[in-house]
């Protein structure tokens, strides 16, 4: 998984803490965690395409959350950044080579792909069951002063 | 995830169907599914390092299963091929930049990493709960004649 997922998740939390009214540039969001701005901008554009953030143009432009954190799951963000493909990709090697049988043999999903798919489903279910608001609440319990420190820094930007 | 996981899983099933007594070369295992032999050999070496298969040298050498399929889980094979690292790697960006707080703030795991880790744990649990013997049984229900076809081909090799 690319580091873009980590960046995107933290950026969504940061946008929530900054507040819903304000758009923030990729450069400012990147500076807050010393990330490369151009790469973070690409991730934010991917979040915009997925409807998680909104890209606002103009002198006060930038990015803001498109919806509340309790309506954004970890699955939404992972899919926006990594794409919808399964991690395990069955290339149907059972149908290749001298052991290949009659095409009707392959009507049912390959048992290997099915087993790997069940594990991936468990992962996706857990990602879909957790919203960014759940994560925000835990983050605030751990570091109660962090949101205020963040707001001050972005206010002085 | 690399295609090596798919190759490794199928190769373990094929070794089980061939039978426990016989070592088979990477070239033969590769030919059975038209895979690139040198790349498959690397995956089989990784399985050998993980104790899933045994590498046998000599003129009748090759690979054979090191233990029965019901003692090999999907997790064993995925870890052997992909390594033990988590798919989501937390790089602790919360500690970088102007928002970074006092080091004691970071005693607890990052809430983002924790949430992603719970999903990964669900995936690993499901991989660990399924043995290759479970997969073999389902594969044989789907294609009852495939093991015999495989044995004939490897016997004539």
């Amino acid at each position: 998984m690319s580091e873009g997922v980590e960046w995107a998740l933290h950026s969504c939390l940061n946008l929530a803490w900054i507040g819903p009214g304000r758009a923030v540039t990729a450069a400012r969001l990147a500076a807050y965690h010393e990330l490369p701005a151009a790469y973070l901008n690409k991730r934010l554009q991917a979040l915009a395409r997925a409807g998680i953030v909104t890209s606002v143009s103009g002198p006060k432009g930038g990015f803001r959350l498109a919806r509340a954190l309790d309506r954004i799951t970890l699955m939404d963000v992972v899919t926006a950044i990594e794409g919808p493909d399964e991690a395990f990709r069955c290339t149907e090697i059972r149908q290749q080579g001298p052991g290949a049988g009659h095409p009707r043999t392959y009507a049912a999903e390959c048992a290997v792909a099915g087993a790997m798919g069940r594990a991936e489903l468990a992962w996706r279910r857990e990602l879909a069951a957790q919203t960014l608001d759940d994560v925000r609440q835990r983050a605030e319990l751990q570091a109660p002063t962090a949101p205020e420190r963040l707001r001050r820094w972005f206010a002085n930007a």
Side-chain angles (χ1 to χ4, degrees), chain A:
Chain A
M1 193 178 299
S2 81
E3 57 196 350
V5 172
E6 183 189 19
W7 301 356
L9 290 168
H10 279 278
S11 294
C12 287
L13 293 175
N14 292 347
L15 286 171
W17 280 318
I18 291 164
R22 196 173 147 204
V24 183
T25 64
R28 292 297 294 163
L29 286 166
Y32 194 67
H33 289 308
E34 294 176 352
L35 302 175
Y39 287 107
L40 181 64
N41 188 53
K42 282 187 188 179
R43 309 313 185 195
L44 293 167
Q45 296 288 356
L47 293 181
R49 283 192 296 276
I52 294 169
V53 302
T54 304
S55 173
V56 180
S57 55
K60 292 216 161 185
F63 295 90
R64 56 179 177 73
L65 287 178
R67 53 188 199 256
L69 287 188
D70 62 1
R71 295 185 51 221
I72 305 170
T73 68
L74 293 179
M75 185 79 267
D76 294 334
V77 175
V78 169
T79 303
I81 301 297
E82 297 287 287
D85 291 344
E86 302 245 318
F88 177 84
R89 258 165 259 185
C90 171
T91 63
E92 287 287 337
I93 65 171
R94 65 179 176 158
Q95 299 197 37
Q96 292 172 198
H102 190 278
R104 72 169 172 271
T105 317
Y106 306 112
E109 184 187 36
C110 174
V112 166
M116 293 298 291
R118 271 186 293 282
E120 191 139 336
L121 192 62
W123 178 68
R124 288 176 186 273
R125 274 205 190 109
E126 191 62 38
L127 289 177
Q130 298 184 78
T131 72
L132 293 196
D133 203 55
D134 302 329
V135 180
R136 177 192 62 77
Q137 289 177 37
R138 280 192 296 271
E140 291 183 6
L141 283 174
Q142 286 177 8
T145 62
E148 185 50 35
R149 201 161 57 235
L150 176 143
R151 276 188 285 270
R152 271 203 308 274
W153 189 82
F154 279 97
N156 294 332

